[in-house]
Amino acid sequence: MKSYIKGMGTYVPDRIVTNDDLAKRFDTSDEWIRQRTGIEERRYAEEGIGTSDLAKEAAVRAAADAGIEIEQIDFIILGTLSPDHHFPGTACYLQPKLELAGVPCLDIRQQCTGWVYGMTLADSLIKTGPYQNILLVGSEVHSHALHFDDAGRDVTVIFGDGAGAAIVSPAPEGSERGVLAHALHADGRHADRLCYRLFDISRIPLADAEYLESVENAWPYMEGRHVFKEAVVRMPEVVREVLASTGHTIDDIDLLVPHQANLRINEYVVSSLGIAPEKVINNIQRFGNTTAASIPIALDEARRNGQVSQGDLVCLVAFGAGFTWGAVTLRL
Ligand code: ACO
């Protein structure tokens, strides 16, 4: 038995924030951001709107696209690094918004690789469990926890808010559609290179004023060059690994959907793999890095704009904080 994507949905907030808008708040420029990251604009949620709110909208759209009622969803997997609360998991806040009390739900905390880990888990649950319609959603509201100051500008310019979702179901019998293979990795030796230490409450009391005085503790911290160097090696490596496991080659791929961390990272990955740029989707220019939501948002866009069709071989690949990285191949 295979699992396949029965339907998808995207939701991004209406509010567009351009590079020039950011340049009014701290020392940066449209030119610097475009040149280093490819980003032109991103979306920000309004105050009071959280990750589970965006996730709900994407979920409703995915269910409609799949042709199912919300009450047919029988498992919820939610990837995020910007949870509604430190605990419990954000899936527990999403579930009642969908009126799905009793349905099992869990958070995946694999950051930018969250949706790829989630797809792997959904595939396994379909193969081993009784589930028919798993909601897999990546959702992020980064904008409420970014440092709009010169000291935080390297991180702040990169991230945007948004959500993308899929309904993952058992593939119709005899269909070529469905997940073919996955490859997952992590190397926690790099965990402190890209992290958010504010909620280190198991080690440091939250009220420790001295601890919070450090910008590195109070705001997301990123060693950008180190992340860049690892990403451009790990992403091509894991694409080759996942293809080899089913005897496919780079030429077999109809669409590569890389995590949208930085357009320059993806350009390196594309040239290193030797894949034709028209077989790759990038939309970071309009949404920034939406972490766990970036792959479903990009894949959904490719489905809707005709860049990919039913039965095409799609490869999803991500790299993110942890470090975590992974790839999935599927026939759409
Ligand atoms: N605007 C203007 N100047 C800036 C900004 C900014 N937003 N941010 C940093 N600078 C300055 C720095 O202060 C520095 O100035 P200095 O030379 O006077 O000291 C200069 O620009 C160069 O800074 P670097 O950090 O060395 O810039 P770099 O060329 O490495 O680019 C960037 C930074 C874009 C973050 C890059 O390292 C990168 O893309 N790394 C990958 C990280 C990434 O994509 N993370 C995404 C999240 S993780 C994930 O999804 C995988």
Side-chain angles (χ1 to χ4, degrees):
M1 187 203 284
K2 282 193 302 213
S3 69
Y4 84 124
I5 293 179
K6 195 189 262 181
M8 294 195 76
T10 293
Y11 178 76
V12 292
D14 291 337
R15 188 173 152 212
I16 296 174
V17 176
T18 65
N19 294 340
D20 285 335
D21 292 332
L22 294 181
K24 288 178 196 143
R25 301 185 68 177
F26 50 85
D27 184 15
T28 190
S29 67
D30 178 52
E31 192 196 356
W32 193 98
I33 300 170
R34 276 180 202 244
Q35 208 175 61
R36 297 298 216 289
T37 70
I39 298 167
E40 295 164 21
E41 60 189 40
R42 71 288 290 143
R43 304 297 181 99
Y44 281 1
E46 299 302 328
E47 214 177 304
I49 299 296
T51 292
S52 63
D53 298 310
L54 269 51
K56 181 198 163 186
E57 299 302 329
V60 167
R61 291 170 191 204
D65 187 54
I68 64 161
E69 302 298 328
I70 291 287
E71 56 263 31
Q72 289 176 263
I73 293 170
D74 48 15
F75 205 106
I76 299 172
I77 303 174
L78 184 146
T80 191
L81 71 60
S82 49
D84 284 5
H85 293 271
H86 188 52
F87 77 87
T90 302
C92 288
Y93 289 93
L94 169 62
Q95 188 225 49
K97 286 177 181 166
L98 293 170
E99 297 182 22
L100 286 173
V103 166
C105 52
L106 64 82
D107 279 28
I108 296 211
R109 300 298 308 275
Q110 301 310 107
Q111 304 65 249
C112 306
T113 320
W115 215 75
V116 166
Y117 267 74
M119 181 57 87
T120 303
L121 184 58
D123 182 50
S124 308
L125 285 166
I126 295 281
K127 285 176 175 153
T128 58
Y131 306 107
Q132 296 299 308
N133 293 297
I134 298 180
L135 169 64
L136 170 61
V137 50
S139 183
E140 306 283 359
V141 175
H142 291 302
S143 59
H144 301 335
L146 293 172
H147 194 197
F148 291 94
D149 184 275
D150 289 1
R153 62 184 177 173
D154 57 332
V155 175
T156 299
V157 297
I158 290 176
F159 292 97
D161 303 342
I167 302 296
V168 184
S169 301
E173 226 175 289
S175 166
E176 60 164 1
R177 300 176 69 187
V179 173
L180 302 179
H182 15 82
L184 301 178
H185 296 281
D187 186 347
R189 291 175 299 178
H190 303 271
D192 283 337
R193 306 284 196 135
L194 179 53
C195 61
Y196 192 16
R197 303 190 180 105
L198 179 62
F199 296 106
D200 287 6
I201 52 175
S202 61
R203 293 190 301 120
I204 295 139
L206 206 47
D208 186 330
E210 201 181 319
Y211 176 77
L212 285 179
E213 261 171 33
S214 157
V215 168
E216 290 185 5
N217 292 335
W219 297 101
Y221 171 76
M222 177 175 77
E223 292 177 24
R225 287 190 174 197
H226 184 74
V227 176
F228 198 111
K229 282 184 196 157
E230 280 287 315
V232 296
V233 173
R234 297 304 183 192
M235 289 170 78
E237 197 176 81
V238 77
V239 167
R240 290 197 183 93
E241 179 189 345
V242 79
L243 287 172
S245 71
T246 49
H248 288 95
T249 66
I250 301 289
D251 289 341
D252 295 327
I253 296 178
D254 295 303
L255 182 73
L256 181 73
V257 187
H259 165 53
Q260 306 287 301
N262 181 322
L263 192 59
R264 307 298 161 231
I265 291 179
N266 289 353
E267 286 166 353
Y268 267 90
V269 170
V270 166
S271 81
S272 153
L273 288 171
I275 186 169
E278 60 271 18
K279 289 183 167 186
V280 183
I281 175 140
N282 282 303
N283 60 10
I284 188 172
Q285 298 90 331
R286 285 175 285 119
F287 301 116
N289 179 348
T290 56
T291 309
S294 91
I295 285 183
I297 289 175
L299 177 57
D300 194 26
E301 181 171 315
R303 287 167 80 242
R304 287 171 203 282
N305 71 15
Q307 200 178 344
V308 69
S309 310
Q310 199 168 301
D312 280 356
L313 185 71
V314 175
C315 181
L316 318 175
V317 59
F319 179 88
F323 290 150
T324 54
W325 63 101
V328 168
T329 46
L330 56 92
R331 287 219 174 265
L332 195 63

